[in-house]
Amino acid sequence: MPKLILASQSRGRAYLLDQAGYAFTQAAPAFADPPQPEVEDHVSIQRHAMELAVRKAESMRDILGDHEIGPAIIVSADTMCVGVDGRIVSQPSDVEDARRMIQSFTNATHDVVTGVAMLRLDPSDTIH
């Protein structure tokens, strides 16, 4: 049975896996979210969230490197909030900025987009 590795520091994501009955190891990926993500015009926000999730999974694979961990599945995710104007709501720069962001959600519609990536590691696989 492959090991399950959650490439995230999120307590919420760990809670979900735990409540679903999975045994897993939680570790921080080397890839850090950009605090002010910018999405190119031709890339959808959904695609951008997926790309960030993949980068996190790949960075965890790189951290594990030559460690003999056996078969494993790395799971990572990236969540973005999209404001009423269609732009990504960035991470707040300070408490006042956080307050302003939260107030902007009052009586307004916004979307939350999560990209999820799973990366299979199997030491018996060889690449030629």
Side-chain angles (χ1 to χ4, degrees):
M1 181 67 115
K3 294 178 180 100
L4 182 61
I5 301 168
L6 174 60
S8 172
Q9 299 239 41
S10 167
R11 290 184 298 219
R13 290 189 176 105
Y15 177 80
L16 290 172
L17 285 176
D18 184 59
Q19 291 300 299
Y22 290 99
F24 62 95
T25 300
Q26 186 174 13
F31 180 79
D33 292 344
Q36 309 297 326
E38 293 184 23
V39 178
E40 297 176 28
D41 289 338
H42 69 280
V43 176
S44 71
I45 292 172
Q46 293 86 350
R47 175 88 180 161
H48 191 63
M50 283 296 303
E51 288 174 2
L52 292 175
V54 167
R55 287 183 187 174
K56 290 177 184 179
E58 290 173 339
S59 73
M60 181 56 65
R61 177 197 58 207
D62 295 344
I63 289 172
L64 296 173
D66 296 330
H67 298 283
E68 296 294 325
I69 63 165
I73 305 277
I74 297 171
V75 177
S76 62
D78 195 88
T79 299
M80 296 181 175
C81 184
V82 183
V84 293
D85 58 1
R87 294 185 314 163
I88 295 173
V89 177
S90 310
Q91 295 179 9
S93 56
D94 56 30
V95 173
E96 189 55 40
D97 193 30
R99 185 174 289 115
R100 182 192 57 73
M101 284 182 187
I102 292 168
Q103 287 173 343
S104 75
F105 294 145
T106 304
N107 297 321
T109 301
H110 64 280
D111 293 318
V112 177
V113 175
T114 300
V116 178
M118 296 178 73
L119 181 63
R120 178 177 160 255
L121 301 178
D122 191 338
S124 66
D125 290 345
T126 56
I127 299 173
H128 299 285

